C-alpha cells in the first residue's frame, strides 16, 4: 500500500527556515519520483519541487528557485524539502506526491500525480 506522510510544518517568521519531511512506504523512491506541491487558501495547487528516482534531476517552481532545496535519503526512503528565506506568500499546506507513470512534461503538474500525503501546514508571518 502506497503511503506518504509529511511532517515538519509550523509557524515561522519571514526570512526564516523550515525543513519538511516526507516518508514514503509501500514503494521505493529508488524506483519512482516524488514531488512537493502546495496549496494556499483560494488558490490552485502549485508545484514546488520534483526529484527523479535516481536523484539526478531536480526541478523547482519559479517562485521557490534559489530558496528551496529537495534532497533524498535512500536508506530511509524519505525526502526533505529545505526551505530558506521564507516569505508570507509561502504560506500554504504542503503535500508530497508520487506517480508511477509520470511524463517528463508533468513533473510539477499536480493533476498528473495519483498518490498524495495528507499535507503539512506552513505559515510564514510577516
Amino acid at each position: 500500500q502506497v503511503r506518504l506522510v509529511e511532517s515538519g510544518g509550523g509557524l515561522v517568521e519571514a526570512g526564516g527556515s523550515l525543513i519538511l519531511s516526507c516518508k514514503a512506504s509501500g514503494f521505493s523512491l529508488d524506483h519512482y519520483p516524488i514531488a512537493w506541491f502546495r496549496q494556499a487558501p483560494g488558490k490552485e495547487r502549485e508545484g514546488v519541487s520534483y526529484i527523479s528516482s535516481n536523484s539526478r534531476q531536480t526541478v523547482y517552481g519559479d517562485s521557490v528557485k534559489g530558496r528551496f532545496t529537495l534532497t533524498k535519503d535512500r536508506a530511509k526512503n524519505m525526502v526533505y524539502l529545505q526551505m530558506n528565506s521564507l516569505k508570507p506568500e509561502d504560506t500554504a499546506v504542503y503535500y508530497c506526491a508520487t506517480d508511477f507513470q509520470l511524463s517528463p512534461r508533468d513533473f510539477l503538474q499536480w493533476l498528473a500525480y495519483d498518490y498524495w500525503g495528507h499535507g503539512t501546514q506552513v505559515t510564514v508571518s510577516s
Side-chain angles (χ1 to χ4, degrees):
Q1 180 181 0
V2 174
R3 190 173 184 219
L4 298 167
V5 179
E6 304 95 336
S7 61
L11 174 64
V12 63
E13 292 184 352
S17 298
L18 276 176
I19 301 176
L20 304 184
S21 302
C22 176
K23 171 66 176 173
S25 58
F27 72 103
S28 173
L29 291 175
D30 283 347
H31 301 148
Y32 298 104
I34 194 162
W36 283 92
F37 294 84
R38 67 186 183 186
Q39 189 163 22
K43 294 189 176 181
E44 187 175 1
R45 196 162 293 193
E46 174 190 10
V48 174
S49 185
Y50 159 97
I51 189 166
S52 62
S53 57
N54 61 14
S55 300
R56 291 177 184 172
Q57 185 174 15
T58 52
V59 179
Y60 296 94
D62 290 341
S63 61
V64 306
K65 281 179 183 176
R67 300 188 298 123
F68 290 13
T69 303
L70 180 57
T71 58
K72 185 191 298 185
D73 185 328
R74 296 177 62 193
K76 295 182 178 180
N77 213 34
M78 294 181 67
V79 293
Y80 303 96
L81 184 67
Q82 172 74 51
M83 307 188 296
N84 297 329
S85 303
L86 283 163
K87 306 174 182 179
E89 51 264 44
D90 293 318
T91 295
V93 178
Y94 284 71
Y95 302 89
C96 58
T98 191
D99 193 80
F100 297 163
Q101 292 183 315
L102 196 65
S103 171
R105 67 177 180 271
D106 291 334
F107 287 165
L108 292 182
Q109 302 299 318
W110 70 270
L111 286 171
Y113 286 77
D114 283 339
Y115 301 99
W116 292 82
H118 290 296
T120 186
Q121 175 71 47
V122 172
T123 303
V124 184
S125 63
S126 57

